[in-house]
Amino acid sequence: MGGTAARASRPPVRLRLAALMLALAVAAAGAAAAPPSLVVLVDTGTEMPMAAFRENQLVDGMHHDLGLALAAALGRQAVFLGLPRKRIGMALEQGQADLICMYIPAWLPGNFNWSQPFFPLREVVVTDTTVPRPAGLADLKGQTIATVLGYFHPELERLLGPGFVREDGPSSSANLRKMAVGRLHHVVTQQSMLDYHQKTGERLSVYPPLLVKSYQGQCAVSPRGQVSVEAINKAIGHLVKDGEVARITARYQ
């Protein structure tokens, strides 16, 4: 009798099958609703205003904002992959990520598809006011200029020749902090880095910076990634036209 009662208490087989099919359909619908990803590479050595990492996760900065904007324009979900600079080229060639942005081909040799130039960047030399103001870059010949280890400055090398005297530091922000305490007087950096330091750090007494070069960053697109360079260019065109690129840069000035 107990067995008969137990059988009677269970729902009919067709109802159990219907419930199972409904659960599978709901799960499938949820999976279908999730947007595909856009895997964005970021150099873990990058600092604000370009990038900020917390527990190895990208949480702020221009790379973060641009990655989110590009993914949204493509109908995708941004996923950020932070790697040391030396591993970025190989990861992109192998398709571990879809792209890295705010680069130019000279910085990243390899078999990549390059987007159109679009992200404004300015390399400058800034001088503090405790020394005479240089009238131009040529006046810096023979004077020590703070640079970042591993970065190249071909324009300064061509102009100053052997008179381009480098003092390598770990980062632009470290160099600007050294300037603040009088340990050095000339720093080559990005205008955005200087603007951000003046906004958030110990404000420097400096002359108007001297322009080294003004250019537009691009995105290196993996040939083995999920997104074509044509799709990236279309998304970039939308962000530029919509003013989103200008809003990203303005946020950190």
Side-chain angles (χ1 to χ4, degrees), residues 61-86:
M62 293 185 185
H63 281 286
H64 178 266
D65 295 355
L66 180 59
L68 291 178
L70 279 173
L74 291 163
R76 291 175 172 266
Q77 180 73 39
V79 175
F80 296 101
L81 175 61
L83 289 176
R85 190 188 320 161
K86 291 182 178 180

Side-chain angles (χ1 to χ4, degrees), residues 125-231:
V125 174
V126 60
T127 299
D128 73 16
T129 56
T130 64
V131 296
R133 178 180 180 178
L137 293 173
D139 289 347
L140 299 173
K141 185 173 292 188
Q143 300 192 47
T144 301
I145 302 174
T147 53
V148 176
L149 181 66
Y151 283 80
F152 299 97
H153 306 279
E155 292 79 12
L156 291 175
E157 291 173 357
R158 284 195 296 268
L159 178 64
L160 304 179
F164 180 28
V165 183
R166 298 178 58 131
E167 181 176 320
D168 286 337
S171 66
S172 286
S173 60
N175 288 339
L176 292 172
R177 288 194 296 271
K178 288 180 182 179
M179 175 179 278
V181 296
R183 292 176 57 188
L184 48 83
H185 303 294
H186 310 285
V187 175
V188 59
T189 186
Q190 289 288 329
Q191 180 75 56
S192 58
M193 173 66 68
L194 175 62
D195 292 343
Y196 187 77
H197 183 91
Q198 295 291 67
K199 178 181 178 180
T200 63
E202 182 179 354
R203 192 166 182 85
L204 301 168
S205 176
V206 295
Y207 299 115
L210 298 173
L211 179 66
V212 177
K213 64 178 176 179
S214 179
Y215 56 103
Q216 291 187 314
Q218 302 166 247
C219 296
V221 182
S222 172
R224 301 177 66 180
Q226 309 171 84
V227 186
S228 69
V229 69
E230 291 80 14

Side-chain angles (χ1 to χ4, degrees), residues 28-103:
S37 63
L38 178 73
V39 183
V40 181
L41 265 176
V42 183
D43 178 357
T44 51
T46 309
E47 53 192 335
M48 286 294 281
M50 293 299 181
F53 290 87
R54 185 178 302 126
E55 296 179 354
N56 297 319
Q57 298 296 315
L58 183 68
V59 295
D60 200 3
M62 293 185 185
H63 281 286
H64 178 266
D65 295 355
L66 180 59
L68 291 178
L70 279 173
L74 291 163
R76 291 175 172 266
Q77 180 73 39
V79 175
F80 296 101
L81 175 61
L83 289 176
R85 190 188 320 161
K86 291 182 178 180
R87 292 176 54 191
I88 283 175
M90 182 178 294
L92 203 59
E93 286 184 334
Q94 294 175 349
Q96 296 177 32
D98 296 311
L99 79 172
I100 187 167
C101 294
M102 297 187 223
Y103 271 61

